[in-house]
Amino acid sequence: METQLKGVRTATPAAQTATRPKKKSLNKFITISLFLAPAIIVYILYVLYPIFTTLLYSFYKWDGVGAGEYVGLQNYINLLSDNVFWTSLTNNTWVILTSIFVQIPLGLIMALMLLAPIRGIRLFSGVYFFPFLISTVAVGLLWVLMLDPLNGIINQIVSLFGFENVAWLSQSNTAMFAVLLVIVWQFSPFYMILFKAAIVGIPEELYEAAEIDGASAFTKFFRITLPLLMPTIVSSSILAIVGSLKAFDIFYVMTGGGPNHGTELLGTYMFKQAFVNFNMGYASAIAFVMFFLAMIVTIIIQALDYYRKKKGAYV
């Protein structure tokens, strides 16, 4: 009997010791879950749930008020034969190309200028960044006044060189160019800040070693600065593509998608279908196509960047 009691007494502390790590891990899991719960709930309510409901509504013919009629993939089939949809997608493509090949390089050039050893150049930092601080709606209204065909300052400058006034926002061959110019003016400073922060983070020792080896400024840029900026370039490209696909406000304020759908985007076309034509199901299909395109392009860029890193290449 005593032997059995001793066995029980000696086993009890060992069992308690074994359960302590489990309790600690459980407490740690509960603590982490409590801290993450608010962010997860917000993410589910404002990201995942809208995406799911948008996909669900895209299978219905619905005016947003009464009961919807299930039509399956008919909304997506109608998109394939919708000329305005393809025009909108083409215009979004132009916005993407402008963002990648104009905004991002211009932002990099502006960042390099701010970091150049020139007296007084840093005073332009606030001037360069000022357009991005203004509300997009205010920017649109400002440029509508500046591009006014009669009293706009742009046409007054054009007339000084002997040219006739141009109806920038009323002609299909100039409206898209005018709005893209405004987008470049407003959003290039955003990429300037990203590149400036990334360049400041590059170790100075690399440039000093390159100078000792007799490297020129161009060599240092293409061999040191540009390769180390690749993560920032990838991130900027993703932001530019996603932002271009969901662009809406500046185009809606300046042109409303006109003239003759010349500046129509997926965002403006979706808005008109939803809140002008009250075709919520069709608008949901357009919205989900926008989400799908942004997701696919992001995955492709991330995959290319992954293989680049895997191969150890910089460009």
Side-chain angles (χ1 to χ4, degrees):
M1 187 66 180
E2 293 179 358
T3 305
Q4 293 178 354
L5 291 173
K6 289 180 180 179
V8 174
R9 291 172 183 171
T10 54
T12 302
Q16 293 177 352
T17 305
T19 57
R20 286 176 183 172
K22 294 182 179 180
K23 289 183 178 180
K24 288 183 178 179
S25 60
L26 180 60
N27 293 334
K28 184 178 180 181
F29 174 77
I30 293 174
T31 303
I32 294 174
S33 300
L34 290 175
F35 276 102
L36 291 178
I40 293 175
I41 293 173
V42 170
Y43 184 78
I44 293 174
L45 290 177
Y46 294 99
V47 178
L48 295 183
Y49 178 72
I51 292 173
F52 175 77
T53 53
T54 299
L55 177 61
L56 182 64
Y57 292 151
S58 67
F59 298 133
Y60 286 82
K61 183 179 180 182
W62 183 46
D63 60 1
V65 180
E69 176 187 353
Y70 180 78
V71 294
L73 297 175
Q74 189 60 45
N75 287 325
Y76 294 96
I77 295 173
N78 293 339
L79 283 178
L80 297 177
S81 58
D82 190 344
N83 292 329
V84 179
F85 168 77
W86 290 110
T87 301
S88 303
L89 184 59
T90 302
N91 291 335
N92 272 104
T93 303
W94 282 113
V95 179
I96 292 173
L97 294 176
T98 303
S99 299
I100 293 177
F101 296 106
V102 180
Q103 284 184 10
I104 294 178
L106 184 59
L108 177 58
I109 293 173
M110 293 165 66
L112 293 173
M113 290 177 60
L114 292 180
L115 296 173
I118 302 175
R119 177 177 295 181
I121 192 64
R122 295 189 179 182
L123 295 176
F124 289 93
S125 179
V127 177
Y128 289 160
F129 195 64
F130 181 72
F132 186 71
L133 299 177
I134 308 175
S135 168
T136 305
V137 175
V139 169
L141 294 175
L142 173 66
W143 277 90
V144 166
L145 296 176
M146 293 176 62
L147 294 171
D148 184 86
L150 297 178
N151 301 315
I153 188 174
I154 302 299
N155 274 325
Q156 292 182 10
I157 295 174
V158 169
S159 62
L160 292 177
F161 293 93
F163 297 100
E164 296 182 357
N165 289 353
V166 180
W168 298 98
L169 301 177
S170 302
Q171 299 177 0
S172 58
N173 59 339
T174 58
M176 193 66 186
F177 172 78
V179 183
L180 290 177
L181 178 65
V182 176
I183 290 177
V184 170
W185 177 78
Q186 184 182 16
F187 291 102
S188 293
F190 171 72
Y191 300 103
M192 175 195 72
I193 295 299
L194 295 181
F195 284 119
K196 182 181 178 182
I199 294 173
V200 171
I202 298 177
E204 195 66 28
E205 293 80 4
L206 297 176
Y207 295 105
E208 294 176 355
E211 289 182 0
I212 293 174
D213 293 336
S216 63
F218 287 99
T219 302
K220 288 188 289 185
F221 174 76
F222 286 104
R223 294 293 183 178
I224 299 176
T225 306
L226 188 60
L228 294 178
L229 288 179
M230 283 306 298
T232 306
I233 293 175
V234 171
S235 301
S236 300
S237 300
I238 294 175
L239 293 173
I241 292 172
V242 174
S244 299
L245 283 173
K246 66 178 185 179
F248 169 77
D249 42 9
I250 190 71
F251 281 86
Y252 192 77
V253 170
M254 293 188 66
T255 63
N260 194 25
H261 302 292
T263 59
E264 198 79 78
L265 299 182
L266 292 176
T268 58
Y269 190 45
M270 175 195 66
F271 177 84
K272 292 176 181 178
Q273 288 294 330
F275 301 106
V276 177
N277 299 331
F278 295 101
N279 195 350
M280 295 292 181
Y282 197 65
S284 297
I286 299 173
F288 192 77
V289 168
M290 294 168 61
F291 163 75
F292 182 76
L293 291 175
M295 182 181 66
I296 293 299
V297 172
T298 302
I299 292 174
I300 292 174
I301 293 177
Q302 293 282 27
L304 293 175
D305 186 54
Y306 170 77
Y307 286 114
R308 178 189 63 83
K309 293 178 180 178
K310 190 175 181 180
K311 292 181 179 180
Y314 290 107
V315 293

